[in-house]
Amino acid sequence: MAGNLFVIAAPSGAGKTTLVRMLLEQKSSVHLSISYTTRQPRPGEQNGREYHFVEATEFHAMIARQEFLEWAEVHGNFYGTSKKWIADQLAAGHDVLLEIDWQGAQQVRSLFPLAIGVFILPPSMEELTRRLTGRGTDSADVIARRLAAAQAEMRHVGEFDYVIINDQLAQALEDLRAVVRASSLSFGAQRARHAALFERMI
Ligand code: ADP
Ligand code: 5GP
């Protein structure tokens, strides 16, 4: 498999979406999986761009049809990753990036042991609170629920291969790019990419 599968997790508000968007602007060879969710769209979010927004009945029908690679209930809503989309992308040799929670990451890891896990940490709880409030997209009770869940999410940091502390955005982006670049040089990725060279040399 030439393409790498990246799994990025973080407590809500740590800056995962911001970092991933910036990475993709610079590195269009990484393909971002668009999850399905039963959450309501935030102002500015578009169906099919940030998420595929679906009703709970449709989501449960998709579970029954086994259309998800993984799915989980997070902050009171359901989220899931399309199995077919991921299989198609990896078969075509593309790098794929999943922005999912720790429960989904565990499921993906058991299916793809070579998946590369990246966890984004905020520099402090105070800053996490500031970012969640400053984003201005969630109500006070949604923010309270996400802060309460942040600690639980962060307890899983040790299950990931890399940890990026998103204090200064430019530095965190540089770190994320370094992980993607180093992963593209792994033995498996290089052998798949340069099959003929490996045939000749070893
Ligand atoms: P997540 O996807 O992890 O929930 P977002 O990417 O939506 O988080 O970021 C939450 C808020 O924090 C947004 O308003 C974003 O602009 C801001 N933010 C992200 N990274 C930083 C950073 N390094 N410094 C300051 N603010 C940041
Ligand atoms: P948000 O509602 O802020 O967009 O996302 C809330 C949480 O759901 C985040 O931790 C995000 O990573 C997670 N999430 C988004 N999509 C998926 C998915 O497809 N599967 C799983 N397991 N979690 C997801």
Side-chain angles (χ1 to χ4, degrees), residues 130-190:
R130 254 194 302 279
R131 287 183 193 171
L132 272 176
T133 314
R135 186 162 68 185
T137 53
D138 299 298
S139 61
D141 62 320
V142 167
I143 291 175
R145 197 193 298 197
R146 284 172 182 248
L147 277 174
Q151 219 97 49
E153 181 86 28
M154 289 191 285
R155 253 176 240 128
H156 293 272
V157 61
E159 297 163 19
F160 290 75
D161 302 297
Y162 298 98
V163 181
I164 292 174
I165 297 166
N166 182 18
D167 185 359
Q168 297 303 317
L169 191 57
Q171 179 62 54
L173 177 62
E174 198 50 42
D175 291 346
L176 183 57
R177 291 182 60 201
V179 169
V180 173
R181 176 135 176 77
S183 303
S184 77
L185 303 176
S186 71
F187 171 72
Q190 287 286 57

Side-chain angles (χ1 to χ4, degrees), residues 16 35 39 42 51 70 72 79-81 99-101 104 146:
K16 171 167 44 79
S35 297
R39 159 163 92 57
R42 294 185 183 128
Y51 284 103
E70 62 75 34
Y79 296 83
T81 303
E99 252 191 271
I100 60 179
D101 84 318
R146 284 172 182 248

